[in-house]
């Protein structure tokens, strides 16, 4: 055998539990808990000072702008906390919505800050995080340092008789020189074993403590659920507008390059036939016959275009017959199964139809398949469309591809596109839509 191409033996993998105390994630999370104490002291002191100063000055007009300025400073400290969570915990929390005054001016800005729920949530974080940071700091530091200290006890025990005049760690003493010490080999081994258990359990304890910090940062320092939903809806609206504009451009292009061009040619042919009608009736009749053929082709193109906008069979008979007619026009044999006891909303029905149309077109153009299946069913409050083929696979929803555009269109109505397409196939693509019947 050619040893140059012999597979190299894999090195045995170290269990996760043994690797965890040395992993970068553990030490980053421990550093986060360690730095949380001074950071929380700063934020807590700042929050108390802001509340005390603002409340104390409320008897004068200065209390309102002072409180607003303090809340703005709290938002800045919250930005530091989000950056710290992003760098050490790997928790990427988006910046909350900025303060938007209704009109320019200091008073409008002060009013916007005071009415902003984000500003008050930052202040609440500064107050609530302090006791938790103290607790997490004490527990993690004690647990972690005691564990490593006991684990390394056989290496540093010699310092006790050399510098402190005692044979080992003292577990109990009466103050008169009598006590219990860890100085025999068995006791030293027991201490090191206990330290090993603490070291192995430390990463899980530290990770559990930082989970609370993650929840607090996301819940109090991030955008509100309503603001997140509004941003998502704005993005979806942009996708819908772009999709509608692209569809309009496609329809315009198809009309201009197809039916419109044929109708212009038809008008010219009929004009020439009219001129030759008296001179050469046979040539005129031939031209009229050709024009008749152009009319048929133009009508067919218009029918296809209308079917592409919204097929009449979908409106009249629903998804089952419409998808069967769609599959009949596919170049690959398609087995259609539609299991619906009622019709969804017209908008969802149309999106499901065009999703199936796009997926079957991909099967015809790119899959090199010999057969495909199209299944549609309803589960709970979701409409499912599954297109499978036995082609070459490798389908990806990369940016700029048709599948990426299809995924964006589905996301605009809270839908999902799930692709399972290993290289060499087979391919299964599932579209999930809200029912909205």
């Amino acid at each position: 055998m050619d040893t140059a191409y012999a597979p190299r033996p894999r090195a045995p993998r170290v269990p996760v539990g043994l690797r965890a105390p040395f992993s970068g994630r553990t030490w980053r999370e421990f550093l986060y808990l360690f730095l949380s104490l001074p950071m929380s002291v700063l934020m807590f002191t700042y929050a108390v000072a802001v509340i005390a100063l603002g409340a104390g000055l409320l008897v004068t007009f200065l209390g309102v702008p002072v409180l607003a300025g303090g809340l703005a400073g709290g938002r800045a400290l919250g930005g530091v906390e989000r950056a710290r969570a992003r760098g050490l915990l790997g928790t990427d929390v988006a910046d909350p919505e900025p303060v938007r005054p209704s009109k320019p001016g200091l008073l409008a800005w002060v009013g916007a800050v005071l009415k902003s729920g984000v500003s008050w949530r930052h202040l609440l974080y500064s107050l609530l995080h302090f006791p938790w940071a103290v607790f997490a700091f004490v527990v993690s530091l004690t647990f972690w340092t005691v564990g490593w200290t006991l684990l390394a006890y056989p290496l540093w025990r010699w310092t006790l008789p050399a510098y402190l005049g005692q044979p080992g760690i003292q577990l109990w003493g009466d103050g008169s020189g009598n006590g219990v010490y860890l100085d025999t080999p068995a006791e030293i081994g027991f201490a090191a074993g206990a330290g090993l258990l603490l070291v192995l359990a430390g990463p899980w304890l530290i990770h559990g403590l930082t989970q609370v910090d993650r929840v607090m940062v996301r819940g109090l320092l991030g955008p509100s659920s309503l603001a997140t939903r509004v941003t998502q809806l704005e993005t979806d609206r942009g996708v819908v507008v772009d999709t509608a504009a692209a569809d309009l451009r496609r329809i315009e292009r198809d009309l201009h390059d197809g039916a419109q061009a044929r109708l212009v040619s038809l008008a010219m042919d009929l004009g020439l036939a009219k001129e030759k009608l008296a001179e050469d009736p046979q040539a005129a009749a031939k031209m009229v016959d050709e024009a008749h053929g152009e009319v048929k082709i133009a009508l067919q193109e218009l029918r296809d275009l209308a079917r592409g906008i919204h097929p009449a069979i979908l409106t009249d008979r629903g998804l089952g017959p419409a998808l069967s007619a769609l599959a009949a026009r596919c170049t690959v044999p398609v087995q259609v199964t539609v299991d619906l006891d009622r019709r969804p909303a017209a908008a969802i029905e149309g999106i499901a139809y065009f999703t199936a149309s796009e997926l079957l077109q991909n099967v015809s153009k790119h899959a090199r398949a010999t057969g495909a299946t199209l299944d549609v069913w309803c589960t709970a409050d979701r409409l499912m469309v599954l297109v499978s083929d036995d082609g070459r696979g490798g389908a990806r929803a990369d940016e700029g591809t048709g599948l990426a555009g299809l995924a964006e269109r589905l996301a605009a109505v809270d839908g999902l596109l799930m692709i399972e397409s290993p290289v060499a196939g087979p391919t299964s693509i599932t579209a999930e839509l809200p029912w909205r019947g």
Side-chain angles (χ1 to χ4, degrees):
M1 183 178 67
D2 189 354
T3 57
Y5 297 95
R8 295 180 179 179
R10 291 185 178 181
R13 293 178 60 87
V14 180
V16 175
L18 297 180
R19 287 186 283 118
F22 306 97
S23 68
R25 189 191 77 168
T26 298
W27 287 98
R28 286 192 299 270
E29 291 179 342
F30 176 71
L31 179 60
Y32 180 89
L33 296 176
F34 186 81
L35 296 177
S36 287
L37 181 61
M39 190 66 192
S40 66
V41 169
L42 172 63
M43 296 184 68
F44 182 81
T45 304
Y46 178 84
V48 171
V50 165
I51 295 174
L53 185 60
L57 293 175
L58 280 179
V59 294
T60 68
F61 181 73
L62 293 176
V64 174
V66 166
L67 184 58
L71 291 175
R75 290 174 67 110
L77 291 174
V80 176
E81 281 293 271
R82 287 192 298 273
R84 199 164 64 91
R86 187 181 304 114
L88 296 177
L89 299 183
T91 301
D92 192 4
V93 179
D95 294 337
E97 58 273 17
V99 176
R100 294 188 177 94
S102 58
K103 56 184 179 180
L106 178 61
L107 292 180
W109 178 83
V110 169
V113 172
L114 293 177
K115 290 188 293 185
S116 171
V118 173
S119 303
W120 293 102
R121 283 194 283 113
H122 279 65
L123 189 66
L124 180 62
Y125 175 87
S126 300
L127 298 175
L128 294 181
H129 189 251
F130 173 68
W132 168 253
V134 173
F135 172 79
F137 174 87
V138 172
V139 171
S140 61
L141 183 64
T142 302
F143 201 91
W144 202 230
T145 53
V146 168
W148 284 103
T149 300
L150 290 179
L151 179 61
Y153 181 52
L155 302 178
W156 61 269
R157 189 190 70 85
W158 63 273
T159 61
L160 296 175
Y163 297 104
L164 299 180
Q166 63 185 49
I169 296 177
Q170 185 181 32
L171 296 182
W172 173 84
D174 58 2
S176 302
N178 301 317
V180 178
Y181 299 91
L182 299 178
D183 55 350
T184 65
E187 293 171 343
I188 294 173
F190 175 79
L196 177 62
L197 293 179
L198 293 178
V199 167
L200 294 179
W204 309 105
L205 174 70
I206 292 172
H207 184 67
L209 294 174
T210 55
Q211 286 296 101
V212 178
D213 286 274
R214 288 182 173 93
V215 172
M216 295 181 69
V217 171
R218 288 195 188 100
L220 296 176
L221 301 184
S224 64
S225 57
L226 178 60
T228 303
R229 182 59 177 165
V230 169
T231 302
Q232 181 182 1
L233 290 176
E234 290 177 347
T235 303
D236 293 344
R237 183 183 63 183
V239 172
V240 171
V241 171
D242 293 340
T243 301
D247 290 340
L248 288 175
R249 289 193 298 268
R250 176 181 59 82
I251 293 171
E252 182 182 8
R253 184 181 63 251
D254 292 344
L255 284 173
H256 182 272
D257 298 340
Q260 181 179 346
R262 291 190 181 278
L263 291 175
V264 171
S265 176
L266 172 63
M268 295 176 61
D269 290 344
L270 289 176
L272 292 174
K274 181 180 179 181
E275 293 177 359
K276 290 189 176 184
L277 184 60
E279 300 175 1
D280 191 354
Q282 292 184 351
K286 183 178 180 181
M287 295 179 69
V288 170
D289 186 62
E290 292 176 353
H292 183 255
E294 289 291 326
V295 169
K296 291 183 177 179
I297 296 175
L299 288 175
Q300 183 60 42
E301 290 181 351
L302 288 174
R303 290 193 193 98
D304 293 340
L305 183 60
R307 186 183 294 113
I309 297 173
H310 195 85
I313 189 174
L314 178 62
T315 303
D316 298 337
R317 302 177 58 188
L319 269 177
L323 293 178
S324 297
L326 179 67
R329 297 194 300 270
C330 186
T331 58
V332 176
V334 181
Q335 180 180 352
V336 180
T337 303
V338 178
D339 183 13
L340 298 176
D341 57 356
R342 64 190 188 281
R343 296 180 63 171
I348 299 300
E349 193 175 55
I351 294 175
Y353 175 84
F354 291 114
T355 299
S357 176
E358 290 286 336
L359 295 177
L360 289 181
Q361 285 185 21
N362 286 344
V363 172
S364 299
K365 294 178 181 179
H366 309 297
R368 299 179 185 175
T370 59
T373 60
L374 170 58
D375 299 288
V376 180
W377 71 97
C378 176
T379 173
D381 59 345
R382 310 293 284 181
L383 178 64
M384 312 295 292
V385 179
L386 171 62
V387 175
S388 303
D389 67 75
D390 57 359
R392 60 179 179 174
R396 295 291 182 270
D398 297 329
E399 185 175 356
T401 63
L403 289 178
L406 187 59
E408 291 180 353
R409 179 176 294 192
L410 292 174
V413 293
D414 292 334
L416 295 173
L417 186 70
M418 294 162 284
I419 302 172
E420 184 179 352
S421 181
V423 177
T427 296
S428 296
I429 301 180
T430 305
E432 181 180 329
L433 290 160
W435 180 259
R436 296 179 187 173

